[in-house]
Amino acid sequence: MRIIRLAARNSLPAIYEARAYVTDGGLMSYGGSIADAYRQAGIYVARILKGDKPGDLPVVQPTKFELAINLKTAKALGLDVPPQLLARGDEVIE
């Protein structure tokens, strides 16, 4: 991803909204769970197929958030990630 390469080239620590950025080399991400969003979309589709009007359905915001950290990228940037932050990570890539 181009944004990851730009951040790395300029030695900029960056936080992204999706875990995919971290698996591709980004430093860390914090955002709503993609799996939870897909589950919620399935619930909405089922409700619509059962006859609910889409305009009557409430807007739902994420309730589960995921933190992913890439230690290889942190090391390349010369950063020490605090153990407390590592303990809170849902996924830590070494």
Side-chain angles (χ1 to χ4, degrees):
M1 297 184 171
R2 189 174 188 183
I3 191 76
I4 296 170
R5 289 192 305 272
L6 287 170
R9 185 173 54 212
N10 293 295
S11 298
L12 295 172
I15 299 175
Y16 304 93
E17 75 277 359
R19 187 177 68 76
Y21 288 97
V22 177
T23 57
D24 286 344
L27 177 60
M28 64 177 58
S29 68
Y30 185 72
S33 167
I34 298 297
D36 195 47
Y38 282 132
R39 183 187 60 76
Q40 187 62 47
I43 291 170
Y44 268 45
V45 168
R47 288 181 66 179
I48 291 167
L49 291 174
K50 290 179 181 178
D52 286 357
K53 293 181 182 178
D56 294 339
L57 296 176
V59 174
V60 178
Q61 295 185 10
T63 56
K64 180 180 179 191
F65 293 85
E66 297 176 339
L67 172 65
I69 304 166
N70 188 324
L71 290 179
K72 183 178 176 183
T73 302
K75 184 177 179 180
L77 293 170
L79 300 173
D80 291 324
V81 180
Q84 299 89 341
L85 187 59
L86 291 174
R88 296 192 67 129
D90 295 295
E91 180 178 5
V92 177
I93 299 170
E94 295 188 41

